[in-house]
């Protein structure tokens, strides 16, 4: 890769707020979406001529539609509580990566065009015109936010920078300045059904291969069914689960759970993606169109339950938005959560004694758990407060003997993003990804040094891909990262081979 | 963006992936490998050729499991794993090997 070289930050034994380095990441920006990519989503093919007017009009529209955005623009008192809470600031030292500064990029434009003072006395309230320089700054720094919401946990007013970022991206895409990585992927979902662009025939071939592999490894006929009408469960999972390591290990884990519990299930080639990058670009139409494939597949196959695999933002979309976007789900079995997370399903089976494990099979692993931001701060599990933290950990402890949490200020609702979330998991942002992983890597190093941790489990495809890539930069093995259901799959008893 | 070899022009995207699959030939593969600092051995060619065959049949690069299994068959079981593929293609077998094979970049959470 012909990227400019950069230095990986040093891991320190304790967290340090970095010295401010003005403009340290001003050069970081992802590739702009090309004309065909933009066109496929109905966005202008390039920056339109009257982009400034269009952008301001769009901003007005969003301020009207989302009251929260206007409240966020108005209420910040610049107390600074959020400023050292963002992993991208902590990893890069660039003051524009302080959440409040990121919001201010929009706030100063908001004030200029949407407040009385800013219209007539812009110099008094720090209001600025939306110039090309400002737009370039937006493109750079709104693509240095993973929409993880960590900052909002510390803001006394609950201001959510992630929503500001989403609005900014939506505005930029609508004037022709979309981001290549996310928009290309969304186009593939519309065309083929998943982020990777795996056609049905390839999916079938891949799943057959997994049946062979699992049979070879266990002696048991564990099925990986595709497009089976009348199955009880439709499993919707990130397409990386079909394609990549370590993701596929979790897919094998889900299949083993269904096998052991005797639940009939199926995947769908129409809805072969749980991920929904419409969220990342702040566009509800895209989010609905992507989600709709799940409803269509569920109806077509006549399933009774929908279960979502290990994907952080997919769970946020499913948990928070599916009912509004693609509901009602009156055709599903209401005795189960609609939708249900695979961890809820496995946890429930464990509680009922329906699964048994050889925990010793995981004895080579000393495990910690990385909470993924969208699960931790934007959803729940199990209908109990904190269920999204309790359930994955309870599963790990049921299937393995050695577990150690990382420092409390780096997990649960205060978890640090992996550094690659929110549509930033792309090669052209590698410097940002490596540096943004710093706070998590420091927390990991502590448990590695103290407890000999050698495995970090997570329930998100982006986290898995991001850590596989950045762990080696910090001197760790890439095999340290894996899924919760990878651990389940290792220990689960399948009954006697047939 | 583009590069030229022996009078033939190969169009690429911003990241160096060939735009037209049909443009690919061994010279292009060697050239891209050079840019990537990968020295093509016979085993590299096995991977690249399999990727192209599979793509031809399925319009997508093979999943890592499919690839490792096939390489295990061709080069010996001890080489049928991702570790070995990373030795061949340090930036990651999926992306780097696809680039050299002239296939589109795998997108998504990979
Ligand atoms: S949402 Fe996350 S990435 Fe964005 S500014 Fe806040 S802490 Fe940083
Ligand atoms: S914590 Fe909230 S009020 Fe304080 S500076 Fe940050 S966004 Fe503004």
């Amino acid at each position: 890769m012909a990227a400019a070289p950069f230095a990986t930050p040093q891991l320190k034994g304790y967290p340090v707020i970095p010295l401010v380095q003005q403009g340290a990441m001003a050069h970081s920006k992802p590739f702009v979406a090309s004309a065909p990519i933009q066109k496929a989503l109905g966005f202008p093919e390039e920056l339109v001529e009257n982009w400034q007017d269009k952008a301001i009009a769009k901003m007005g529209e969003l301020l009207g539609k989302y009251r929260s955005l206007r409240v966020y623009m108005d209420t910040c008192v610049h107390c600074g509580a959020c400023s050292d809470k963002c992993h991208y600031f902590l990893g890069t030292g660039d003051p524009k990566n302080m959440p409040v500064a990121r919001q201010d990029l929009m706030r100063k434009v908001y004030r200029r065009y949407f407040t009385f003072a800013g219209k007539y006395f812009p110099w008094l309230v720090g209001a600025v015109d939306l110039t090309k320089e400002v737009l370039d700054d937006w493109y750079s720094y709104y693509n240095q936010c993973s929409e993880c919401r960590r900052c909002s946990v510390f803001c006394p007013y609950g201001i959510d920078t992630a929503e500001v970022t989403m609005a900014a991206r939506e505005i930029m895409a609508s004037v022709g300045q979309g981001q290549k990585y996310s928009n290309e992927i969304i186009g593939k979902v519309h065309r083929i059904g998943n982020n990777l662009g795996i056609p049905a025939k390839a999916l079938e071939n891949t799943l057959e291969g997994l049946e062979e592999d699992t049979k070879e490894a266990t002696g048991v006929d564990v099925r990986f069914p595709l497009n089976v009408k009348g199955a009880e469960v439709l499993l919707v999972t990130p397409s990386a689960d079909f394609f990549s390591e370590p993701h596929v290990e979790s897919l094998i884990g889900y299949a083993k759970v269904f096998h052991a519990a005797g639940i009939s299930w199926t995947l769908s080639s129409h809805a072969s993606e749980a991920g929904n990058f419409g969220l990342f670009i702040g566009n509800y139409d895209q989010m609905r169109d992507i989600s709709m494939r799940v409803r269509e597949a569920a109806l077509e196959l006549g399933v009774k339950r929908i279960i979502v695999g290990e994907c952080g933002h997919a769970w946020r979309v499913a948990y928070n938005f599916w009912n509004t976007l693609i509901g009602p789900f009156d055709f599903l079995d209401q005795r189960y959560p609609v939708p249900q997370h695979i961890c809820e399903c496995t946890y429930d089976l464990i509680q009922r004694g329906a699964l048994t494990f050889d925990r010793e099979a995981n004895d080579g692993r000393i495990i910690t758990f990385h909470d993924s931001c969208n699960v931790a701060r934007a959803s729940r599990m199990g209908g109990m407060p904190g269920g999204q933290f309790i359930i994955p950990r309870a599963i790990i402890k049921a299937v393995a003997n050695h577990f150690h949490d990382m420092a409390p200020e780096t997990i649960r609702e205060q978890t640090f993003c992996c550094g690659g979330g929110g549509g930033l998991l792309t090669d052209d942002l590698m410097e940002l990804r490596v540096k943004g992983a710093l706070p998590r890597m420091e927390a990991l190093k502590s448990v590695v040094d103290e407890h000999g941790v050698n495995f970090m489990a997570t329930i998100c495809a982006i986290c898995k891909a991001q850590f596989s890539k950045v762990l080696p930069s910090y001197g760790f093995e890439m095999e340290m990262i894996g899924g919760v259901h990878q651990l389940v799959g290792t220990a689960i008893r399948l009954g006697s081979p047939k | 963006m583009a590069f030229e070899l022996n009078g033939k022009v190969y169009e690429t995207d911003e990241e160096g992936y060939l735009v037209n699959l049909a443009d690919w030939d061994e010279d292009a593969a060697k050239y891209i490998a050079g840019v990537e600092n990968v020295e093509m051995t016979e085993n590299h060619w096995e991977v690249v050729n399999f990727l192209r065959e599979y793509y031809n049949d399925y319009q997508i690069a093979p999943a890592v499991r499919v690839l490792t299994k096939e390489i295990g068959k061709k080069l010996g079981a001890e080489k049928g794993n991702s570790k070995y593929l990373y030795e061949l293609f340090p930036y990651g077998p999926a992306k780097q090997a696809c680039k050299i094979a002239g296939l589109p970049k795998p997108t998504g959470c990979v």
Side-chain angles (χ1 to χ4, degrees):
Chain A
M1 292 278 150
F6 60 89
T8 301
Q10 291 279 321
L11 289 182
K12 303 166 296 296
Y14 47 89
V16 176
I17 299 170
L19 288 176
V20 165
Q21 292 180 53
Q22 210 82 38
M25 291 300 282
H27 59 279
S28 175
K29 41 179 68 90
F31 293 125
V32 174
S34 65
I37 290 174
Q38 284 282 99
K39 193 173 168 204
L41 305 194
F43 295 137
E45 296 181 25
E46 52 185 36
L47 195 59
V48 295
E49 227 165 83
N50 52 345
W51 64 268
Q52 199 192 26
D53 298 339
K54 283 254 163 74
I56 292 158
K58 187 77 188 177
M59 194 166 166
E61 181 196 321
L62 297 185
L63 287 164
K65 251 203 303 208
Y66 312 129
R67 288 307 308 265
S68 51
L69 184 62
R70 189 179 284 270
V71 172
Y72 297 158
M73 289 291 106
D74 285 331
T75 45
C76 172
V77 294
H78 290 85
C79 69
C82 60
S83 55
D84 60 347
K85 302 302 186 290
C86 174
H87 52 290
Y88 291 121
F89 172 66
L90 294 172
T92 68
D94 189 323
K96 284 191 179 160
N97 277 327
M98 294 176 175
V100 56
R102 202 184 310 287
Q103 299 160 25
D104 275 351
L105 288 175
M106 181 177 287
R107 190 171 287 117
K108 60 191 186 182
V109 175
Y110 163 75
R111 287 192 174 151
R112 178 75 182 89
Y113 299 97
F114 298 96
T115 67
F116 179 82
K119 274 182 196 159
Y120 300 102
F121 318 103
W123 60 91
L124 287 181
V125 291
V128 302
D129 287 352
L130 180 53
T131 59
K132 185 69 175 52
E133 285 71 48
V134 172
L135 181 75
D136 289 345
D137 245 14
W138 276 33
Y139 192 71
S140 181
Y141 289 99
Y142 285 121
N143 282 304
Q144 296 188 45
C145 168
S146 57
E147 303 171 346
C148 78
R149 311 180 93 202
R150 186 169 195 268
C151 48
S152 74
V153 173
F154 299 89
C155 173
Y157 299 95
I159 295 175
D160 182 0
T161 316
E163 259 189 61
V164 178
T165 294
M166 287 172 191
R169 291 189 190 167
E170 160 85 328
I171 293 168
M172 290 189 283
S174 76
V175 298
Q177 181 112 330
Q179 187 228 42
K180 176 184 174 190
Y181 172 71
S182 295
N183 290 4
E184 182 177 29
I185 283 172
I186 293 173
K188 277 195 190 174
V189 177
H190 295 328
R191 256 191 358 262
I192 305 167
N194 56 69
N195 290 0
L196 267 149
I198 308 171
K201 185 177 156 198
L203 188 54
E204 204 182 308
N205 172 268
T206 305
L207 296 174
E208 279 167 17
L210 290 177
E211 288 187 353
E212 286 168 24
D213 293 357
T214 314
K215 170 93 183 182
E216 207 172 292
T218 64
V220 179
D221 280 308
V222 175
R223 306 293 321 280
F224 291 75
L226 180 66
N227 298 331
V228 174
K229 282 199 181 174
E232 182 183 343
V233 168
L234 168 64
L235 179 80
V236 185
T237 207
S239 55
D241 283 4
F242 307 122
F243 197 81
S244 287
E245 301 272 7
H247 307 65
V248 67
E249 302 288 346
S250 282
L251 176 61
I252 295 170
Y254 321 145
K256 287 180 178 175
V257 167
F258 292 133
H259 176 96
I263 298 171
S264 74
W265 68 292
T266 186
L267 292 154
S268 153
S269 57
H270 182 67
S272 42
E273 180 63 61
N276 192 326
F277 280 28
L279 177 78
F280 296 158
I281 65 165
N283 187 299
Y284 282 79
D285 294 333
Q286 296 296 334
M287 211 156 92
R288 189 192 52 240
D289 290 355
I290 295 168
S291 303
M292 196 56 81
R293 302 181 77 95
V294 176
R295 181 185 175 87
E296 289 160 359
L299 286 169
E300 162 77 18
L301 297 171
V303 297
K304 292 278 158 264
R305 299 163 63 185
I306 303 175
I307 294 183
V308 180
E310 296 182 356
C311 173
H313 78 284
W315 182 239
R316 176 179 185 180
V317 173
Y319 184 87
N320 287 302
F321 298 106
W322 270 5
N323 199 38
T324 331
L325 292 173
I326 59 168
F329 289 109
D330 42 8
F331 58 94
L332 296 177
D333 187 340
Q334 303 299 319
R335 290 173 305 170
Y336 294 92
V338 178
Q340 189 174 30
H341 194 283
I342 185 71
C343 284
E344 291 176 316
C345 172
T346 300
Y347 177 72
D348 185 47
L349 292 167
I350 294 173
Q351 299 291 98
R352 290 200 274 117
L355 301 175
T356 51
F357 302 99
D358 293 315
R359 297 160 86 202
E360 295 67 33
N362 276 314
D363 271 356
R365 291 171 171 148
I366 304 172
I367 303 161
T368 195
F369 181 69
H370 164 82
D371 292 280
S372 299
C373 12
N374 277 304
V375 176
R377 285 187 286 263
S379 68
R380 280 186 160 190
M381 266 183 216
M384 52 177 157
Q388 73 272 37
F389 311 123
I390 296 163
I391 288 176
R393 287 174 172 81
I395 295 175
I396 295 172
K397 288 178 188 163
V399 305
N401 287 313
H402 309 293
F403 178 80
H404 301 276
D405 256 324
M406 288 179 277
E409 65 279 10
T410 71
I411 58 170
R412 298 171 69 106
E413 53 271 279
Q414 296 188 42
T415 189
F416 277 109
C417 167
C418 63
L424 306 182
L425 187 79
T426 177
D427 294 320
D428 35 328
L429 295 175
M430 198 53 80
E431 178 179 359
L432 181 77
R433 288 169 52 188
V434 169
K435 292 182 173 173
L438 177 72
R440 173 50 77 227
M441 292 294 105
E442 285 179 341
L444 175 64
K445 186 172 185 323
S446 298
V447 286
V448 168
D449 291 347
E450 207 172 314
H451 302 290
V453 163
N454 61 13
F455 192 91
M456 180 161 67
T458 187
I459 48 173
C460 172
I462 291 178
C463 296
K464 290 171 194 170
Q466 157 74 353
F467 285 129
S468 301
K469 197 82 228 174
V470 304
L471 279 167
S473 301
Y474 289 95
F476 297 116
E477 296 281 324
M478 89 169 72
E479 291 78 14
M480 268 181 90
I481 186 71
V484 166
H485 278 79
Q486 178 173 350
L487 301 173
V488 173
T490 303
I492 195 168
R493 289 203 191 123
L494 295 173
S496 47
K498 285 186 199 97
Chain B
M1 265 153 262
F3 61 87
E4 196 185 319
L5 301 170
N6 308 320
K8 181 172 167 188
V9 178
Y10 302 81
E11 204 190 326
T12 67
D13 70 3
E14 309 92 322
E15 296 169 80
Y17 289 80
L18 286 186
V19 171
N20 304 309
L21 246 92
D23 282 355
W24 186 88
D25 54 28
E26 292 198 1
D27 290 340
K30 283 182 204 149
Y31 173 84
I32 299 170
V35 175
E36 296 279 318
N37 280 322
V38 171
E39 204 183 314
M40 295 294 287
T41 66
E42 234 169 82
N43 289 1
H44 288 87
W45 283 111
E46 285 286 357
V47 174
V48 165
N49 290 332
F50 176 66
L51 289 185
R52 287 192 63 85
E53 271 167 41
Y54 192 90
Y55 192 93
N56 215 5
D57 290 346
Y58 292 101
Q59 281 72 57
I60 180 85
V64 176
R65 279 281 182 130
V66 176
L67 178 59
T68 50
K69 207 196 279 184
E70 182 67 22
I71 294 306
K73 275 187 213 154
K74 286 199 160 122
L75 301 179
E78 76 289 352
K79 296 199 161 65
N81 54 60
S82 347
K83 229 189 169 86
Y84 179 69
L85 290 175
Y86 269 93
E87 277 170 34
L88 294 181
F89 301 100
Y91 197 80
K95 287 180 181 167
Q96 203 167 33
C98 278
K99 196 189 250 189
I100 296 170
L103 306 182
K105 173 176 160 167
T107 53
C109 307
V110 294

